[in-house]
Amino acid sequence: MAKYTAIIADDEPLLRFHLQKMLTDICHDIEIVAHCENGQQALQAIDELNPDFLFLDIKMPELDGMEVAKKLASMKQAPLIAFITAYDEFAVKAFENNAVDYLLKPISENRLIKTCDKLKLQKKQTPTNDNSGAVLTDLLQQIQQLSSNAQPDYLVWVKAFKGEDLHLIAINDVLFFKAEDKYISVFAQSQGTLNEYIIRSSLKELQQKLDSEQFWQIHRSCIVNVSKIDKVKKDLLGHMKVHIQTHKLPVSRSGQSLFKGM
């Protein structure tokens, strides 16, 4: 039986869906009692339902997460906040507004477990809204360290179709992109299964949104996630291929320079 209640406030429906699914799978003592797509809805739901926790996106229409946090700061019984953001510069500001923790998109299960543990510990220690103190100072230092390394402008999610269904794929789960006609096939692994999705874009447009340190264009029709490469082999004729799981992807002559000196 759930011991705690929580609200998810994020304007991305798929993010809300996946976050609730992950919470259901890994945090059985937290019950999501409402979904909100903007700050005004979040404030209304908090007033009606008095949840223990609030998973709050910083960038939302009408009333953003920072403004919601400021309004909650004046309440005697406010939920403990875990901010959700794709931009850790906002995460730093989040702590100035009494967040217990933050979650960077895409949200991983391991990180979410740690956040839930922090929320529950904080709730036991301070039943009323008091998120200040040494714990926040320590976490702020961690976020500042992250801020110095992060590249917030790069894609963190890929929205792609499989059949009629739209999926939200974490960029780190992508093995490679392959262009075909006006579409790009996205090969990604989830829970041990390799899936193929479709997005409508040009490879050139996509490449501009990817971290060039993480994704290499090895051919005019193919971009690979470097961390997913199993091996690179050259045949007797000098043709190079990248091996990713069962796929053997040709490397163009210009692309071979990427692997020189390795």
Side-chain angles (χ1 to χ4, degrees):
M1 179 178 294
K3 296 180 181 178
Y4 306 98
T5 57
I7 287 174
I8 297 173
D10 193 298
D11 62 325
E12 296 183 50
L14 282 174
L15 188 287
R16 298 199 302 269
F17 171 79
H18 284 288
L19 180 54
Q20 173 155 8
K21 186 176 185 304
M22 282 196 289
L23 286 167
T24 301
D25 291 341
I26 64 180
C27 297
H28 304 294
D29 54 354
I30 297 179
E31 179 186 3
I32 302 302
V33 294
H35 285 196
C36 306
E37 59 185 45
N38 58 57
Q40 292 291 1
Q41 287 184 11
L43 289 174
Q44 183 176 351
I46 291 165
D47 184 56
E48 294 174 355
L49 301 170
N50 190 28
D52 297 301
F53 310 134
L54 173 62
F55 294 92
L56 180 63
D57 187 23
I58 290 178
K59 295 188 71 175
M60 290 190 296
E62 298 186 23
L63 190 66
D64 66 25
M66 304 299 287
E67 291 302 316
V68 172
K70 289 176 183 176
K71 291 181 179 297
L72 293 178
S74 62
M75 294 175 57
K76 291 183 178 179
Q77 292 288 339
L80 298 173
I81 301 170
F83 275 102
I84 305 168
T85 180
Y87 307 95
D88 43 15
E89 61 178 300
F90 289 111
V92 176
K93 293 180 181 177
F95 277 74
E96 298 170 358
N97 289 279
N98 295 331
V100 170
D101 202 2
Y102 69 102
L103 291 162
L104 287 177
K105 299 178 182 179
I107 300 171
S108 71
E109 286 193 354
N110 288 338
R111 188 66 180 80
L112 182 58
I113 289 172
K114 291 179 181 178
T115 295
C116 290
D117 288 343
K118 288 179 183 178
L119 286 168
K120 288 182 279 190
L121 179 61
Q122 185 81 357
K123 185 68 178 178
K124 290 176 183 175
Q125 292 176 341
T126 55
T128 57
N129 182 30
D130 180 6
N131 297 321
S132 61
V135 174
L136 287 181
T137 301
D138 180 57
L139 290 171
L140 179 57
Q141 290 174 349
Q142 294 180 37
I143 298 171
Q144 288 172 327
Q145 186 175 358
L146 277 173
S147 299
S148 63
N149 300 324
Q151 299 289 346
D153 292 331
Y154 296 133
L155 278 181
V156 292
W157 298 98
V158 176
K159 296 177 181 176
F161 284 91
K162 187 174 184 180
E164 299 295 324
D165 299 326
L166 178 63
H167 293 258
L168 198 60
I169 305 165
I171 198 70
N172 291 333
D173 291 336
V174 174
L175 303 185
F176 61 93
F177 299 96
K178 190 173 183 181
E180 295 171 308
D181 297 327
K182 297 180 180 178
Y183 297 90
I184 297 174
S185 293
V186 183
F187 292 82
Q189 190 156 26
S190 176
Q191 299 179 341
T193 302
L194 180 62
N195 295 297
E196 181 178 354
Y197 307 87
I198 296 293
I199 57 177
R200 186 165 186 169
S201 175
S202 70
L203 210 61
K204 184 178 180 180
E205 290 176 342
L206 177 66
Q207 186 187 30
Q208 294 171 351
K209 302 174 184 176
L210 299 172
D211 182 355
S212 60
E213 294 293 323
Q214 184 180 8
F215 288 91
W216 290 358
Q217 183 163 10
I218 62 169
H219 191 274
R220 59 181 173 79
S221 64
C222 189
I223 296 175
V224 300
N225 186 342
V226 179
S227 66
K228 305 297 185 183
I229 295 176
D230 295 318
K231 60 184 177 182
V232 181
K233 290 188 67 175
K234 188 179 282 187
D235 63 20
L236 294 176
L237 297 176
H239 299 148
M240 185 180 286
K241 289 187 178 178
V242 164
H243 292 236
I244 299 180
Q245 297 192 7
T246 59
H247 294 268
K248 299 177 183 178
L249 307 169
V251 182
S252 65
R253 187 180 299 275
S254 60
Q256 292 189 20
S257 62
L258 293 166
F259 301 97
K260 285 184 178 178
M262 298 182 68

